[in-house]
Amino acid sequence: GVLSSSDSLSNPPPFRYRAASSQATPAIATTMHRNLVTFLAALAASASFQGTLAARHSRVVANAAEGTLAGVAAHRLDAEAPKRQKKGSTTPAPPEPEPPLISHPNVNPGVLAGAVVARVRADSAAQITAIGPQASYLAARAVIYANEYMSEELKGKVLAILPSKHQTGRGDTTANLFEVRAVQNVKVPKAPDAVVASITPVPALAKYLSKSFEENKKKITLSGLRAKSINVALKAAGRAEPKLAVIPTLAEFEDKGKTLTRMMLTCVRAPK
């Protein structure tokens, strides 16, 4: 049972073990123990055994990895289950609303219009957040383009902006939140009821709009040339009472022999 120097470590001889009798001396037991240790060392060093261990190790690692991935997937499903299902119900909960679209000073209004159309077709409404005059102006232009894209689908209606103030969650920074939805179309007059300038006070304009609708006006059309004036008009419409829907359009007009384009904002009562 003892390995000699001539034995190959890659092909160790079979280990022959014979149980020691109760009369076995300590020396015999020590020899048997040494033989066993030597054999196990040779077996571990053999190429074939190492290959077996490597293969087995690979299977163990693969199974462990597969189990870990399955566990992670199960954990994610368990974590998401409360979001998908109401408590005590097996019926999946409706999906959470998508975050608002974002308008910024360099946004392409045509691209933003396409996103608005997609949201309106899917959910009958869309939301846009805008910080600053230029972002608000481009958001209004995007709604104008969206109306052109959907002119055949709306059937007597038009997309309008329901403006309000939105807290961004970044300190005291606020944004304009524009809810876009379809309202009954109205005829836009050639001349506006009021021309808005960039220095027009928002509270004064909001008061003017509120008083006009208190007097049972059906619509009030504002106009502006620059992004700042349009931003003022949209902010005022968001503060006015009752809640207003603003229909943006573009119109040409003559000024000192020149043909210019201005934005018209026709305010109507928002649908309930």
Side-chain angles (χ1 to χ4, degrees):
V2 180
L3 288 173
S4 65
S5 59
S6 61
D7 291 326
S8 172
L9 292 181
S10 62
N11 188 22
F15 177 71
R16 296 183 295 276
Y17 172 79
R18 183 177 60 184
S21 66
S22 59
Q23 303 299 323
T25 62
I28 295 175
T30 301
T31 301
M32 294 175 62
H33 176 73
R34 188 183 300 116
N35 291 345
L36 179 59
V37 171
T38 305
F39 168 75
L40 292 177
L43 186 62
S46 68
S48 60
F49 184 70
Q50 287 181 359
T52 302
L53 281 179
R56 181 176 299 175
H57 180 264
S58 298
R59 289 196 300 272
V60 170
V61 171
N63 291 338
E66 183 178 355
T68 301
L69 291 175
V72 169
H75 175 72
R76 287 177 178 173
L77 289 174
D78 291 341
E80 293 174 358
K83 299 179 182 179
R84 299 192 311 271
Q85 297 181 1
K86 294 182 179 179
K87 187 175 181 181
S89 173
T90 58
T91 304
E96 295 182 0
E98 295 187 69
L101 301 170
I102 298 175
S103 177
H104 55 82
N106 297 316
V107 73
N108 184 325
V111 174
L112 182 57
V116 169
V117 170
R119 292 280 181 94
V120 171
R121 284 173 176 165
D123 304 321
S124 299
Q127 288 185 327
I128 308 172
T129 57
I131 299 177
Q134 185 67 15
S136 298
Y137 174 78
L138 292 176
R141 285 194 75 110
V143 175
I144 294 173
Y145 297 154
N147 270 320
E148 294 176 1
Y149 298 158
M150 300 186 70
S151 59
E152 295 183 0
E153 301 177 43
L154 294 173
K155 297 179 180 179
K157 292 189 175 183
V158 65
L159 295 179
I161 298 170
L162 282 66
S164 62
K165 185 184 293 186
H166 175 64
Q167 292 292 338
T168 63
R170 293 178 292 178
D172 297 331
T173 304
T174 59
N176 287 327
L177 177 63
F178 301 143
E179 182 180 357
V180 182
R181 60 174 58 252
V183 300
Q184 197 65 37
N185 198 3
V186 296
K187 185 177 180 180
V188 178
K190 292 183 179 181
D193 296 298
V195 177
V196 182
S198 59
I199 59 174
T200 301
V202 172
L205 184 56
K207 185 176 180 180
Y208 163 74
L209 290 172
S210 297
K211 185 177 180 181
S212 297
F213 283 95
E214 285 178 3
E215 296 172 354
N216 295 322
K217 293 279 188 179
K218 299 296 182 182
K219 61 184 179 183
I220 294 291
T221 299
L222 309 175
S223 73
L225 280 176
R226 303 281 188 267
K228 288 184 178 180
S229 59
I230 296 302
N231 186 48
V232 167
L234 290 170
K235 283 185 175 182
R239 295 187 184 185
E241 293 291 342
K243 189 171 182 61
L244 300 179
V246 181
I247 304 170
T249 54
L250 294 175
E252 293 183 346
F253 71 103
E254 297 292 329
D255 182 50
K256 298 179 181 180
K258 295 182 180 179
T259 301
L260 303 177
T261 301
R262 61 187 172 189
M263 185 175 290
M264 308 278 276
L265 301 175
T266 301
C267 303
V268 298
R269 292 176 183 268
K272 296 181 180 180

